[in-house]
Amino acid sequence: MLSDLEKLVRCVQKLKFVLTNLDEISEFQKWVLWLIEKLLWTREKIKWGIIAASSVFLVGCDSFQEKKKSSKSTCKAPYMIKGVWYYPQNHYQLKEEGIASYYGINDREHNGPDAMGGIYNMHKMTAAHKTLPLPCVVQVHNLQNNRRALVAVTDRGPFIEGRIIDVSVQAAKILGFFQAGTARVCIQTLEKESRILAQLSKKVSLKCTNLSDLLPVVNQICQNHHRNFLERPVPLYTKKAFDVRLQKPVCTKKSKILAQNVTHPKMLEKFYVSVVNLSFDQATWVKVQNSTFHWGNCTLKKLSNSHSKPFSTFLGPFLSHSQAQKVLKFFVKHHMSAAVLSALKGGGN
């Protein structure tokens, strides 16, 4: 059996080993390490040495962890919180289901620094994740009420067992779990949007710009890229080929069938979806869904009469009637009044 003095000596030796293996150590902790080495030679004073060294070590570790949490190095480098090491991933492939919560009201995080060195604002559409690359764009799907929203991940957390993401207060209100505090969600990273946001973040000041404000720009860039790909002209129906076909018609049966199916590139029929009789909350929800699914421009109008649901939205344009019908069915499923409208776009538009 070991005596009490020998047990104390072994504890001090373990404490010395931990201090000597830290990546970074403060001047005060260096002084404590020197004190431990001196006290190991004077066993009758070891009890006081353990009390002083343990207290300073615990305080030093807490400040070191907080420094790690608020440092920009947490974007890519491994970091430790409450004794647990986290390793940020270098890719955007993630689909996860679990509990989401929100932060920023009672823990003094609002207007404080985030993991990227910016300013956290609980009124913006941001979020915190333990290992995702910073920044990135994540779609959060509330499995309890089927609401979805896009958030910009700019911070680290939550460091509570069982929770997979911490969203801002504004995002919690949009997703519908602000009163409950938590909700079961499914989160998925959007790789294309994340890469664009990462590029844009290098051109702005994080102290002055909240990255969630760039989400509409990111969506517009992705939408324009998608439109340009879909509207790429086919060589057979270019303007030059169309003019030649009109000047020198070929009177064959096959050419007559082709000519009937040709649509002039300057006369395109486009489709829109109109959603009416909306309250302000419903109109806000429609705009969030539009940002998530990239339906196109979302025009919000308020009627002159002052009834309880005076707002209406106008979504589009859609490239085909089938696309507009799918969006129409989405709003009908959520018990909203919607209709498909069509318009013929001429060459001057």
Side-chain angles (χ1 to χ4, degrees), residues 272-300:
Y272 301 84
V273 173
S274 176
V275 188
V276 298
N277 296 331
L278 299 174
S279 63
F280 179 76
D281 291 341
Q282 289 175 327
T284 304
W285 181 80
V286 171
K287 293 186 69 174
V288 171
Q289 301 308 309
N290 181 61
S291 300
T292 302
F293 295 106
H294 315 300
W295 288 327
N297 297 325
C298 181
T299 305
L300 181 64

Side-chain angles (χ1 to χ4, degrees), residues 43-319:
R43 295 196 173 188
E44 56 268 20
K45 298 181 181 180
I46 199 69
K47 184 182 297 184
W48 295 103
I50 287 178
I51 295 174
S54 299
S55 301
V56 174
F57 175 71
L58 293 175
V59 173
C61 281
D62 287 341
S63 62
F64 178 70
Q65 289 175 3
E66 291 300 323
K67 181 180 178 181
K68 279 264 185 175
K69 180 181 177 182
S70 61
S71 173
K72 287 184 179 181
S73 64
T74 57
C75 292
K76 296 182 179 180
Y79 63 98
M80 182 177 66
I81 300 294
K82 298 179 181 179
V84 180
W85 281 96
Y86 298 92
Y87 301 89
Q89 62 192 50
N90 58 359
H91 57 84
Y92 297 103
Q93 284 73 37
L94 177 71
K95 187 174 183 180
E96 192 176 7
E97 185 175 323
I99 301 299
S101 55
Y102 65 87
Y103 71 117
I105 293 183
N106 299 322
D107 46 15
R108 297 182 181 179
E109 293 282 353
H110 180 59
N111 288 331
D114 58 23
M116 291 190 63
I119 305 299
Y120 170 71
N121 188 337
M122 67 179 181
H123 303 298
K124 301 292 185 179
M125 295 294 289
T126 59
H129 193 272
K130 293 185 281 289
T131 58
L132 278 173
L134 299 182
C136 67
V137 180
V138 170
Q139 178 181 266
V140 184
H141 178 197
N142 189 343
L143 300 176
Q144 298 174 196
N145 58 15
N146 205 30
R147 290 191 180 186
R148 302 171 190 259
L150 290 185
V151 294
V153 178
T154 59
D155 207 353
R156 291 301 182 201
F159 302 106
I160 298 177
E161 186 178 359
R163 299 186 184 181
I164 61 173
I165 194 169
D166 249 353
V167 301
S168 63
V169 174
Q170 177 67 13
K173 291 179 179 179
I174 295 296
L175 290 166
F177 68 90
F178 175 72
Q179 296 296 333
T182 58
R184 187 159 192 85
V185 299
C186 178
I187 63 174
Q188 183 175 7
T189 51
L190 305 181
E191 183 172 1
K192 184 190 300 183
E193 287 81 352
S194 298
R195 294 188 183 278
I196 295 174
L197 182 63
Q199 291 296 325
L200 294 177
S201 66
K202 299 176 182 178
K203 302 177 182 179
V204 299
S205 172
L206 298 180
K207 295 289 186 181
C208 303
T209 305
N210 192 287
L211 292 185
S212 66
D213 294 335
L214 300 178
L215 289 179
V217 179
V218 172
N219 290 332
Q220 190 64 38
I221 294 174
C222 293
Q223 182 180 348
N224 291 341
H225 175 77
H226 182 66
R227 281 186 180 178
N228 292 337
F229 177 78
L230 291 178
E231 295 181 351
R232 186 178 300 169
V234 181
L236 178 62
Y237 302 133
T238 59
K239 184 177 185 301
K240 183 177 179 181
F242 187 83
D243 293 339
V244 171
R245 185 181 297 274
L246 289 179
Q247 293 172 5
K248 298 180 180 180
V250 181
C251 298
T252 62
K253 184 177 181 181
K254 184 177 180 180
S255 64
K256 288 181 179 180
I257 296 175
L258 286 174
Q260 291 174 358
N261 296 327
V262 172
T263 302
H264 197 288
K266 289 188 176 180
M267 299 296 290
L268 298 176
E269 186 177 12
K270 296 200 173 184
F271 301 91
Y272 301 84
V273 173
S274 176
V275 188
V276 298
N277 296 331
L278 299 174
S279 63
F280 179 76
D281 291 341
Q282 289 175 327
T284 304
W285 181 80
V286 171
K287 293 186 69 174
V288 171
Q289 301 308 309
N290 181 61
S291 300
T292 302
F293 295 106
H294 315 300
W295 288 327
N297 297 325
C298 181
T299 305
L300 181 64
K301 293 183 179 180
K302 183 177 180 182
L303 302 179
S304 57
N305 53 343
S306 58
H307 56 84
S308 59
K309 295 183 176 182
F311 293 94
S312 63
T313 58
F314 200 63
L315 304 172
F318 300 94
L319 300 178

